[in-house]
Amino acid sequence: MNMTINPTSTVRELVTTMPEATRIFERLGIDYCCGGSRTLAAACEVAGVSPEEAVRLLEELGAAGATDEALPDWRQESLAALIAHITDQHHQFTRYELDRLTPLLSRVCAVHGRNHSELARLRELFTELKEELTTHLLKEEQVLFPWVVRMEEAVSAGRPVPPPFFRTVNNPVRMMMTEHDHAGDLLRLMREVTDGYRLPADACFSYGALYQGLEALEADLHQHIHLENNLLFPRAIEMENQAASAWQGTNAGDCAHHCFSHPQA
């Protein structure tokens, strides 16, 4: 670890330099995906934890030499490799778990809904999350990610970057980050309505499996959004800025809103 950890460090700086810090942030309930621009002190205030405690745990983690050696350094790997990792690992996991948890949640609601009214609200939030993420993943896979890969290929080959019809990558990135924020809000509400996924005394095996699955989905989405918000998107924007002269003067139409509002299934 080559940085000094203090409360003025941003969460993004910490997790991009020290990927294993996400384990500490998950434990403390610190938002490191959508809230990456906050300082550690501000993030701790939101989470209701002591900045000094967070710094201590991060320093202990660094001193212990705990590193996620199996993971590439996504600051150095190609954008194509990062995109492949996101789609192969996180997009596939998200789709699988959303489909798997849907009937499980319905069964738990049918059996326990009368005694636990919070399950109806949980199902509403989960349904909204599933609908939004299903469309969100398509937008990324069909439009944003392919263009980023083509941009990187052109830059690597020394060719002019093809002008995107959405004018600048900032437009779809801004939309994706807004949707990330909403997904994060839904995850927080799901955690609140279940009292931190605390099982009631009369919980059956399916109830436990549901809460365990929802927590795993939440943790994976945190990592998924972190990789996009804190690594992929800033790097894509920087690459586009560096190659901006390649498409200055183009008259590409600004139809990003239409495309990102109506992805093809």
Side-chain angles (χ1 to χ4, degrees):
M1 182 178 61
N2 297 317
M3 68 176 296
T4 300
I5 300 173
N6 60 66
T8 63
S9 303
T10 68
V11 173
R12 178 178 292 114
E13 289 170 341
L14 291 168
V15 294
T16 55
T17 304
M18 185 182 179
E20 63 274 14
T22 59
R23 300 201 298 268
I24 299 297
F25 291 154
E26 283 285 350
R27 190 201 315 176
L28 297 178
I30 290 175
D31 179 6
Y32 61 90
C33 50
C34 298
S37 61
R38 293 191 182 109
T39 64
L40 179 59
C44 286
E45 182 178 359
V46 171
V49 300
S50 163
E52 292 75 20
E53 175 68 3
V55 169
R56 182 185 66 79
L57 291 171
L58 290 168
E59 289 178 339
E60 288 180 355
L61 188 67
T67 58
D68 294 327
E69 295 180 355
L71 291 178
D73 183 349
W74 295 119
R75 296 170 299 172
Q76 305 298 327
E77 294 290 327
S78 69
L79 295 182
L82 177 53
I83 286 172
H85 172 76
I86 290 170
T87 54
D88 293 346
Q89 299 297 319
H90 296 292
H91 281 203
Q92 287 194 25
F93 178 84
T94 297
R95 286 192 174 99
Y96 178 85
E97 286 300 290
L98 289 173
D99 288 342
R100 183 182 73 87
L101 292 171
T102 297
L104 182 57
L105 177 55
S106 295
R107 289 199 301 272
V108 172
C109 286
V111 175
H112 296 276
R114 179 174 297 180
N115 295 326
H116 297 283
S117 59
E118 70 275 7
L119 287 172
R121 178 58 176 155
L122 176 63
R123 180 157 58 180
E124 290 176 359
L125 293 168
F126 176 83
T127 299
E128 185 176 355
L129 180 69
K130 180 179 180 179
E131 291 174 351
E132 177 163 309
L133 287 176
T134 297
T135 304
H136 178 89
L137 299 183
L138 286 174
K139 294 173 185 177
E140 292 184 335
E141 293 172 358
Q142 294 182 357
V143 181
L144 178 57
F145 288 178
W147 186 82
V148 170
V149 171
R150 289 196 299 272
M151 174 180 67
E152 184 177 50
E153 290 173 347
V155 169
S156 297
R159 300 193 308 267
V161 175
F165 64 83
F166 41 76
R167 290 189 180 274
T168 167
V169 75
N170 283 278
N171 288 331
V173 161
R174 189 180 303 112
M175 185 172 289
M176 294 300 95
M177 292 185 70
T178 297
E179 293 182 3
H180 286 169
D181 288 345
H182 187 230
D185 290 341
L186 291 173
L187 290 172
R188 282 189 290 274
L189 288 172
M190 289 166 63
R191 178 165 285 276
E192 287 175 9
V193 79
T194 59
D195 191 23
Y197 293 109
R198 185 190 303 274
L199 286 171
D202 61 341
C204 63
F205 177 81
S206 293
Y207 213 134
L210 172 66
Y211 275 18
Q212 184 179 41
L214 290 172
E215 283 198 285
L217 176 65
E218 176 191 61
D220 188 80
L221 282 169
H222 285 164
Q223 184 66 211
H224 173 178
I225 294 171
H226 151 61
L227 289 174
E228 294 184 0
N229 281 12
N230 297 327
L231 288 159
L232 176 61
F233 295 163
R235 288 187 60 195
I237 291 170
E238 181 182 10
M239 182 175 289
E240 182 190 59
N241 289 339
Q242 291 175 349
S245 60
W247 62 80
Q248 285 180 351
T250 62
N251 59 357
D254 186 12
C255 54
H257 182 271
H258 174 78
C259 174
F260 277 77
S261 300
H262 305 282
Q264 298 300 309

